[in-house]
Amino acid sequence: MTTVERWMGALRTRTLAFISIVLAVAVVAAACGGGGGTTAQAGGGISPELVTDYIHTVLEADRTAYTRHVVNRAQVLEGQTKEDGVVPVEATEGWQQTDGIPLPAQMFRLGSEIANEAGYFTYNLISPWYINDSQAPKSGFEETAMAEVIETGEPYKDYQEVGNQQFFSAVYPDVAVAEACVSCHNQHPVHLERYPDKQFEMGEVMGGVVINIPMTGA
Ligand code: HEC
């Protein structure tokens, strides 16, 4: 090997090492880009559609786990004794006054109130047949989205502007998956008073889960 060949070899090795470092830095920059703030970036790494799908998956999983593994083990559900209950407690809307435990929808709202304080994104339950006034569809977007979701049974996603801030918002169907959803809502005194003609059926869309992600650079 001549001196020139050795020199060329060393240069090639160094060039390769340099390119690897540049690539590594670029990948790290791409991975970190847009992730540090409290808002999502349009055209950034992950589409906002996917972000709301991820969040919704976690929300549904937590609600189902709470229903299945906590509420289902309670011996009493809203005044009615449950045969398969093993824990001497009542799951009831008036849980704070009666030393009971919250219903799944209340647990969901309690969680959302804490999460919404963090300021990254917001989520909540809505329904045109709401028992709790704070869960009525509020904006034009929520009314349109809710009507579409009830009609199609599919999620509805779009951008909306609220007070100069652009959001990506998604509404996911909340379906009567258990007989208890239907019977509890249909017999609820507020429901009977407000919607005497509305009786939910199994498999029906009873409301929606709304997720709002603030966007930058809109
Ligand atoms: C034992 C009674 C009970 C059961 C079972 C129940 N709910 Fe509810 N649900 C309520 C009450 C009470 C509220 C209002 C709670 C609050 O203050 O946030 C509510 C709230 C909701 C809301 C928000 C709109 C509103 O009415 O304020 C939706 C949507 C909803 N429930 C869907 C369901 C579905 C779907 C199921 C079954 C998977 C279910 N519920 C099971 C009692 C019940």
Side-chain angles (χ1 to χ4, degrees):
M1 211 188 266
T2 66
T3 312
V4 172
E5 273 169 349
R6 262 204 306 277
W7 185 74
M8 289 297 284
L11 190 66
R12 256 199 307 275
T13 315
R14 246 179 287 168
T15 309
L16 272 179
F18 179 67
I19 290 173
S20 323
I21 290 169
V22 169
L23 277 178
V25 169
V27 168
V28 170
C32 299
T38 55
T39 50
Q41 205 110 38
I46 305 175
S47 72
E49 285 91 342
L50 201 51
V51 175
T52 55
D53 284 355
Y54 288 163
I55 295 169
H56 178 245
T57 303
V58 178
L59 298 179
E60 273 310 294
D62 281 355
R63 181 151 156 230
T64 306
Y66 178 70
T67 307
R68 208 176 276 170
H69 303 300
V70 181
V71 172
N72 277 0
R73 289 163 62 79
Q75 284 173 348
V76 186
L77 174 61
E78 206 63 273
Q80 294 185 352
T81 311
K82 282 169 56 268
E83 274 175 20
D84 53 352
V86 290
V87 184
V89 73
E90 180 181 12
T92 168
E93 188 177 352
W95 59 279
Q96 274 166 310
Q97 292 81 42
T98 62
D99 294 339
I101 57 168
L103 296 173
Q106 293 177 301
M107 190 67 178
F108 186 92
R109 183 164 49 78
L110 293 165
S112 92
E113 284 165 9
I114 295 168
N116 293 354
E117 279 172 19
Y120 289 99
F121 58 88
T122 62
Y123 68 87
N124 54 290
L125 261 181
I126 57 168
S127 172
W129 307 283
Y130 54 89
I131 295 172
N132 184 325
D133 289 350
S134 71
Q135 286 159 173
K138 280 170 267 314
S139 58
F141 170 85
E142 285 189 359
E143 276 167 17
T144 309
M146 194 67 261
E148 280 284 320
V149 170
I150 289 167
E151 172 97 19
T152 64
E154 296 293 325
Y156 180 98
K157 300 170 178 176
D158 204 354
Y159 291 90
Q160 65 163 328
E161 205 165 302
V162 183
N164 281 339
Q165 166 73 56
Q166 211 191 22
F167 290 86
F168 179 79
S169 298
V171 177
Y172 295 82
D174 198 37
V175 178
V177 288
E179 197 53 48
C181 314
V182 170
S183 58
C184 185
H185 277 255
N186 285 348
Q187 291 165 24
H188 196 283
V190 172
H191 181 92
L192 288 172
E193 192 194 318
R194 289 183 180 167
Y195 325 103
D197 300 329
K198 179 66 188 173
Q199 287 291 289
F200 289 115
E201 287 170 14
M202 275 293 281
E204 196 178 339
V205 176
M206 294 175 62
V209 173
V210 188
I211 300 169
N212 303 298
I213 307 179
M215 307 295 297
T216 54

